[in-house]
Amino acid sequence: NQVKQVINDITQYGYVKGRLVIGVAGQNITERLAQYYELPEGFYVNEVYEGYGAYLAGIQPGDVIVKCDGKVTKTIDEKVPNLNAMWQW
């Protein structure tokens, strides 16, 4: 069902509706990586895409996202409440 919906959305709108895109690429920093590289657990930002929420919030490559809207965010997969959330890095 999800595949059909994605194909329908792309065909009809040119993008997939209802999916949050914050405009970053990177990787999760696990507890083990955090200890090794002496970084906080969170999401390490490799790239920021112009025009998206992360870019507009001032997030830059090399930042580590550790909180969003005051809530600890250890992985990019955790749901972000909205694009206007207050980021802490």
Side-chain angles (χ1 to χ4, degrees):
N1 266 353
Q2 284 185 338
V3 173
K4 286 181 182 179
Q5 185 62 48
V6 168
I7 291 170
N8 288 338
D9 283 358
I10 291 172
T11 303
Q12 187 172 357
Y13 306 107
Y15 63 94
V16 180
K17 291 180 67 175
R19 299 198 187 232
L20 180 64
V21 177
I22 61 171
V24 296
Q27 72 178 56
N28 296 324
I29 300 175
T30 63
E31 182 179 354
R32 189 173 182 177
L33 288 172
Q35 289 174 353
Y36 183 81
Y37 290 107
E38 297 181 359
L39 292 169
E41 285 184 66
F43 182 76
Y44 182 84
V45 177
N46 290 327
E47 292 183 68
V48 179
Y49 303 109
E50 192 172 336
Y52 287 95
Y55 176 85
L56 299 173
I59 294 175
Q60 299 177 0
D63 287 342
V64 178
I65 298 171
V66 296
K67 287 186 180 180
C68 179
D69 200 23
K71 297 176 184 144
V72 173
T73 303
K74 291 188 178 183
T75 71
I76 198 65
D77 303 322
E78 292 178 21
K79 296 190 189 290
V80 179
N82 63 59
L83 290 179
N84 296 316
M86 298 300 294
W87 294 92
Q88 180 179 339
W89 58 93

